[in-house]
Amino acid sequence: MIDIKEAIKIAGEMFVEREGRKMEDGDEFIAVFKNCAVTASNKDGELKICFTDNVPLIVDADVDVYGEE
């Protein structure tokens, strides 16, 4: 089991790998672990972290929130 600091580090590294850059103002991501999920957001240069001990429900469907793709 990893501690919270390591979890945040891993999730942050995954964000950088996926996006090709560090988090900027207004960015956010959600990382799902085996026993929890974390939401990380950058607002006004401040990193905000929120862990939840509930594992999200995964729904296998696309949601039309962005219009046509």
Side-chain angles (χ1 to χ4, degrees):
M1 189 173 296
I2 61 175
D3 66 16
I4 291 173
K5 287 181 183 181
E6 184 68 14
I8 294 167
K9 179 182 175 201
I10 290 168
E13 289 170 351
M14 291 178 74
F15 176 88
V16 169
E17 184 177 317
R18 183 182 71 187
E19 299 296 322
R21 60 179 175 77
K22 292 184 178 183
M23 288 184 76
E24 298 173 356
D25 192 43
D27 286 342
E28 69 179 2
F29 67 82
I30 299 169
V32 179
F33 295 90
K34 290 181 180 179
N35 64 341
C36 66
V38 64
T39 303
S41 62
N42 183 343
K43 183 169 178 167
D44 298 326
E46 185 177 339
L47 183 63
K48 297 188 185 297
I49 304 291
C50 180
F51 277 90
T52 179
D53 62 356
N54 294 315
V55 177
L57 303 171
I58 306 299
V59 179
D60 187 18
D62 293 326
V63 179
D64 186 16
V65 295
Y66 302 111
E68 291 186 37
E69 291 186 11

